[in-house]
Each structure stands twice: as structure tokens, then as C-alpha cells.
Amino acid sequence: MNDTIIEQIYAEKYNTNTTSRKDIGDIYVDGVPINIKSSHVDRNNYSPNLISADKLFNHLSNPINNLQFMFVKYDDNNIIDEQLIDAEHISWDCLDIRCQGKGVIQLSKSLKVDNTQTREHFLKGLSQAYKVYITKERKKLNSLEKKYC
């Protein structure tokens, strides 16, 4: 069992196909992209990448767009647990933005879901997290500039 097999299982479950790695979702169900995040329960999954911060912001800034995450726990043979969550219901208490490209959102703590959180509040949290990310990157770049330039 691995992430590719997991994605295929859910594509079959929802009678759809998997997408390319560049797409915002691994599958689409009723026009809604679902980004599948799988983790093997017997391995350490350190701060898994969820999605590009810029891609998520661009997508969810349009009020007609939706995005869901399917969090799947599995062992060598079986899917043990699954959780389908609207992106805007994931609390920023468990997320960080780290350096990759324009910044990638990572699950830095145990998943925390807030079903009352609005999209507006989620995007405000993204903006605050991005400010922290940019501040860290700016310090790092200033240090590199002093060293090399």
C-alpha cells in the first residue's frame, strides 16, 4: 500500500480518475477537488506538505471554488481511517508555511478541525502565517546576502 494506490482506491470509490501532480486535487467529485493526504501508521510522517500556499490562496479566494482534503491513515494492507475535511475548516493551530517555491503549507502538528471556521477566517489565518513565513525568509536572505555579496 502506498500513496498512488490510495489515490486509485478513492478514484474508484468515487467513480472518477486521478489527476496530474500539478492539479489542486488528486481527484474531483461533483466538481470539487479532493487532495488526498495519506500516512502510514507505522512510519514517522514529519510535517507533511499539504499544498502550495499560493495555489491554495488563489483557488479559495474565488468564492465559487471549493477544496477538500482526504486524510487517510493506512498500514501495509488496509486503510485504517479516513477523514474528509473542507480546507477552510482546518485550523491554523496545526499548520505552518515553510520554504518551497512560494511557500508550502505543512501539517506541523496533529490535525485540528474547526467546523465553525469560515473561509474568510481561514484566508486571514493564511495571510498571518504567510507574514511569518516571509519574515523568516527575509532574515535568511539578508544573512546570505551578507555572506556572499
mmCIF file of all heavy atoms in Angstrom, residues 26-48:
data_model
loop_
_atom_site.group_PDB
_atom_site.id
_atom_site.type_symbol
_atom_site.label_atom_id
_atom_site.label_comp_id
_atom_site.label_asym_id
_atom_site.label_seq_id
_atom_site.Cartn_x
_atom_site.Cartn_y
_atom_site.Cartn_z
ATOM 1 N N ASP A 26 -6.303 15.595 -6.179
ATOM 2 C CA ASP A 26 -5.893 14.306 -6.730
ATOM 3 C C ASP A 26 -7.043 13.646 -7.467
ATOM 4 O O ASP A 26 -6.831 12.871 -8.392
ATOM 5 C CB ASP A 26 -5.384 13.387 -5.602
ATOM 6 C CG ASP A 26 -4.145 13.956 -4.941
ATOM 7 O OD1 ASP A 26 -3.186 14.263 -5.669
ATOM 8 O OD2 ASP A 26 -4.145 14.117 -3.711
ATOM 9 N N ILE A 27 -8.262 13.956 -7.025
ATOM 10 C CA ILE A 27 -9.476 13.525 -7.706
ATOM 11 C C ILE A 27 -10.483 14.670 -7.624
ATOM 12 O O ILE A 27 -10.327 15.591 -6.822
ATOM 13 C CB ILE A 27 -10.089 12.236 -7.091
ATOM 14 C CG1 ILE A 27 -10.483 12.457 -5.620
ATOM 15 C CG2 ILE A 27 -9.149 11.049 -7.251
ATOM 16 C CD1 ILE A 27 -11.217 11.278 -4.973
ATOM 17 N N TYR A 28 -11.499 14.610 -8.481
ATOM 18 C CA TYR A 28 -12.607 15.563 -8.434
ATOM 19 C C TYR A 28 -13.897 14.769 -8.239
ATOM 20 O O TYR A 28 -14.129 13.782 -8.939
ATOM 21 C CB TYR A 28 -12.709 16.364 -9.733
ATOM 22 C CG TYR A 28 -11.731 17.506 -9.813
ATOM 23 C CD1 TYR A 28 -10.376 17.264 -10.030
ATOM 24 C CD2 TYR A 28 -12.151 18.815 -9.671
ATOM 25 C CE1 TYR A 28 -9.470 18.314 -10.098
ATOM 26 C CE2 TYR A 28 -11.247 19.865 -9.740
ATOM 27 C CZ TYR A 28 -9.912 19.606 -9.952
ATOM 28 O OH TYR A 28 -9.016 20.647 -10.011
ATOM 29 N N VAL A 29 -14.723 15.220 -7.294
ATOM 30 C CA VAL A 29 -16.023 14.604 -7.059
ATOM 31 C C VAL A 29 -17.066 15.706 -7.127
ATOM 32 O O VAL A 29 -16.999 16.682 -6.371
ATOM 33 C CB VAL A 29 -16.059 13.882 -5.691
ATOM 34 C CG1 VAL A 29 -17.443 13.309 -5.418
ATOM 35 C CG2 VAL A 29 -14.989 12.801 -5.627
ATOM 36 N N ASP A 30 -17.980 15.583 -8.056
ATOM 37 C CA ASP A 30 -19.013 16.599 -8.287
ATOM 38 C C ASP A 30 -18.397 17.984 -8.482
ATOM 39 O O ASP A 30 -18.904 18.990 -7.979
ATOM 40 C CB ASP A 30 -20.031 16.627 -7.135
ATOM 41 C CG ASP A 30 -20.784 15.311 -7.000
ATOM 42 O OD1 ASP A 30 -21.027 14.656 -8.040
ATOM 43 O OD2 ASP A 30 -21.122 14.935 -5.860
ATOM 44 N N GLY A 31 -17.268 18.042 -9.181
ATOM 45 C CA GLY A 31 -16.604 19.300 -9.494
ATOM 46 C C GLY A 31 -15.727 19.849 -8.379
ATOM 47 O O GLY A 31 -15.090 20.879 -8.556
ATOM 48 N N VAL A 32 -15.699 19.183 -7.228
ATOM 49 C CA VAL A 32 -14.896 19.646 -6.096
ATOM 50 C C VAL A 32 -13.580 18.865 -6.053
ATOM 51 O O VAL A 32 -13.598 17.634 -6.005
ATOM 52 C CB VAL A 32 -15.653 19.473 -4.758
ATOM 53 C CG1 VAL A 32 -14.780 19.862 -3.578
ATOM 54 C CG2 VAL A 32 -16.939 20.274 -4.770
ATOM 55 N N PRO A 33 -12.449 19.573 -6.065
ATOM 56 C CA PRO A 33 -11.174 18.868 -5.960
ATOM 57 C C PRO A 33 -10.970 18.317 -4.548
ATOM 58 O O PRO A 33 -11.265 18.997 -3.561
ATOM 59 C CB PRO A 33 -10.129 19.935 -6.288
ATOM 60 C CG PRO A 33 -10.795 21.237 -6.036
ATOM 61 C CD PRO A 33 -12.271 21.017 -6.214
ATOM 62 N N ILE A 34 -10.487 17.079 -4.492
ATOM 63 C CA ILE A 34 -10.130 16.451 -3.221
ATOM 64 C C ILE A 34 -8.642 16.136 -3.278
ATOM 65 O O ILE A 34 -8.184 15.408 -4.152
ATOM 66 C CB ILE A 34 -10.945 15.170 -2.948
ATOM 67 C CG1 ILE A 34 -12.443 15.496 -2.875
ATOM 68 C CG2 ILE A 34 -10.461 14.492 -1.668
ATOM 69 C CD1 ILE A 34 -13.338 14.276 -2.715
ATOM 70 N N ASN A 35 -7.907 16.708 -2.359
ATOM 71 C CA ASN A 35 -6.466 16.500 -2.249
ATOM 72 C C ASN A 35 -6.276 15.405 -1.204
ATOM 73 O O ASN A 35 -6.626 15.586 -0.042
ATOM 74 C CB ASN A 35 -5.801 17.816 -1.826
ATOM 75 C CG ASN A 35 -4.312 17.805 -2.000
ATOM 76 O OD1 ASN A 35 -3.644 16.844 -1.638
ATOM 77 N ND2 ASN A 35 -3.789 18.891 -2.533
ATOM 78 N N ILE A 36 -5.734 14.254 -1.617
ATOM 79 C CA ILE A 36 -5.616 13.095 -0.741
ATOM 80 C C ILE A 36 -4.246 13.086 -0.076
ATOM 81 O O ILE A 36 -3.218 13.102 -0.752
ATOM 82 C CB ILE A 36 -5.850 11.787 -1.531
ATOM 83 C CG1 ILE A 36 -7.247 11.806 -2.162
ATOM 84 C CG2 ILE A 36 -5.660 10.568 -0.620
ATOM 85 C CD1 ILE A 36 -7.501 10.695 -3.165
ATOM 86 N N LYS A 37 -4.250 13.053 1.258
ATOM 87 C CA LYS A 37 -3.021 13.014 2.047
ATOM 88 C C LYS A 37 -3.022 11.729 2.849
ATOM 89 O O LYS A 37 -3.869 11.520 3.714
ATOM 90 C CB LYS A 37 -2.930 14.221 2.995
ATOM 91 C CG LYS A 37 -2.880 15.531 2.263
ATOM 92 C CD LYS A 37 -1.657 15.568 1.364
ATOM 93 C CE LYS A 37 -1.661 16.732 0.426
ATOM 94 N NZ LYS A 37 -0.651 16.616 -0.604
ATOM 95 N N SER A 38 -2.086 10.855 2.535
ATOM 96 C CA SER A 38 -2.052 9.555 3.191
ATOM 97 C C SER A 38 -0.811 9.416 4.054
ATOM 98 O O SER A 38 0.237 9.986 3.752
ATOM 99 C CB SER A 38 -2.105 8.442 2.146
ATOM 100 O OG SER A 38 -1.061 8.578 1.211
ATOM 101 N N SER A 39 -0.955 8.678 5.147
ATOM 102 C CA SER A 39 0.182 8.433 6.030
ATOM 103 C C SER A 39 0.118 7.008 6.571
ATOM 104 O O SER A 39 -0.944 6.538 6.989
ATOM 105 C CB SER A 39 0.229 9.443 7.167
ATOM 106 O OG SER A 39 -0.922 9.348 7.962
ATOM 107 N N HIS A 40 1.263 6.362 6.516
ATOM 108 C CA HIS A 40 1.407 5.003 7.033
ATOM 109 C C HIS A 40 1.508 5.090 8.550
ATOM 110 O O HIS A 40 2.355 5.812 9.070
ATOM 111 C CB HIS A 40 2.655 4.355 6.437
ATOM 112 C CG HIS A 40 2.726 2.882 6.630
ATOM 113 N ND1 HIS A 40 2.913 2.323 7.868
ATOM 114 C CD2 HIS A 40 2.616 1.864 5.752
ATOM 115 C CE1 HIS A 40 2.941 1.010 7.747
ATOM 116 N NE2 HIS A 40 2.754 0.703 6.468
ATOM 117 N N VAL A 41 0.659 4.357 9.269
ATOM 118 C CA VAL A 41 0.593 4.481 10.724
ATOM 119 C C VAL A 41 1.857 3.984 11.428
ATOM 120 O O VAL A 41 2.120 4.375 12.561
ATOM 121 C CB VAL A 41 -0.647 3.759 11.311
ATOM 122 C CG1 VAL A 41 -1.924 4.442 10.856
ATOM 123 C CG2 VAL A 41 -0.648 2.285 10.953
ATOM 124 N N ASP A 42 2.648 3.154 10.783
ATOM 125 C CA ASP A 42 3.846 2.604 11.413
ATOM 126 C C ASP A 42 5.114 3.369 11.049
ATOM 127 O O ASP A 42 6.215 2.931 11.355
ATOM 128 C CB ASP A 42 4.017 1.126 11.035
ATOM 129 C CG ASP A 42 2.875 0.278 11.579
ATOM 130 O OD1 ASP A 42 2.381 0.590 12.681
ATOM 131 O OD2 ASP A 42 2.483 -0.693 10.896
ATOM 132 N N ARG A 43 4.976 4.497 10.380
ATOM 133 C CA ARG A 43 6.128 5.309 9.997
ATOM 134 C C ARG A 43 5.970 6.713 10.528
ATOM 135 O O ARG A 43 4.864 7.178 10.796
ATOM 136 C CB ARG A 43 6.262 5.350 8.474
ATOM 137 C CG ARG A 43 6.505 3.978 7.894
ATOM 138 C CD ARG A 43 6.831 4.050 6.416
ATOM 139 N NE ARG A 43 6.838 2.689 5.886
ATOM 140 C CZ ARG A 43 6.161 2.309 4.831
ATOM 141 N NH1 ARG A 43 5.425 3.172 4.169
ATOM 142 N NH2 ARG A 43 6.223 1.061 4.413
ATOM 143 N N ASN A 44 7.075 7.420 10.663
ATOM 144 C CA ASN A 44 7.040 8.820 11.076
ATOM 145 C C ASN A 44 6.777 9.694 9.858
ATOM 146 O O ASN A 44 7.494 9.614 8.877
ATOM 147 C CB ASN A 44 8.370 9.228 11.710
ATOM 148 C CG ASN A 44 8.582 8.568 13.051
ATOM 149 O OD1 ASN A 44 7.629 8.355 13.776
ATOM 150 N ND2 ASN A 44 9.817 8.233 13.365
ATOM 151 N N ASN A 45 5.749 10.494 9.933
ATOM 152 C CA ASN A 45 5.404 11.421 8.855
ATOM 153 C C ASN A 45 5.619 12.832 9.371
ATOM 154 O O ASN A 45 4.732 13.427 9.958
ATOM 155 C CB ASN A 45 3.952 11.224 8.416
ATOM 156 C CG ASN A 45 3.708 9.862 7.830
ATOM 157 O OD1 ASN A 45 4.301 9.519 6.824
ATOM 158 N ND2 ASN A 45 2.861 9.071 8.465
ATOM 159 N N TYR A 46 6.820 13.347 9.182
ATOM 160 C CA TYR A 46 7.173 14.650 9.722
ATOM 161 C C TYR A 46 6.632 15.770 8.845
ATOM 162 O O TYR A 46 6.946 15.851 7.660
ATOM 163 C CB TYR A 46 8.690 14.778 9.833
ATOM 164 C CG TYR A 46 9.289 13.751 10.752
ATOM 165 C CD1 TYR A 46 9.949 12.645 10.245
ATOM 166 C CD2 TYR A 46 9.171 13.873 12.131
ATOM 167 C CE1 TYR A 46 10.490 11.696 11.091
ATOM 168 C CE2 TYR A 46 9.704 12.931 12.986
ATOM 169 C CZ TYR A 46 10.362 11.838 12.461
ATOM 170 O OH TYR A 46 10.890 10.909 13.293
ATOM 171 N N SER A 47 5.831 16.634 9.415
ATOM 172 C CA SER A 47 5.312 17.829 8.745
ATOM 173 C C SER A 47 5.001 17.600 7.268
ATOM 174 O O SER A 47 5.649 18.165 6.393
ATOM 175 C CB SER A 47 6.309 18.985 8.896
ATOM 176 O OG SER A 47 6.482 19.312 10.243
ATOM 177 N N PRO A 48 4.011 16.765 6.977
ATOM 178 C CA PRO A 48 3.699 16.513 5.563
ATOM 179 C C PRO A 48 3.227 17.773 4.842
ATOM 180 O O PRO A 48 2.531 18.607 5.425
ATOM 181 C CB PRO A 48 2.596 15.461 5.614
ATOM 182 C CG PRO A 48 2.039 15.539 6.990
ATOM 183 C CD PRO A 48 3.111 16.065 7.880
#
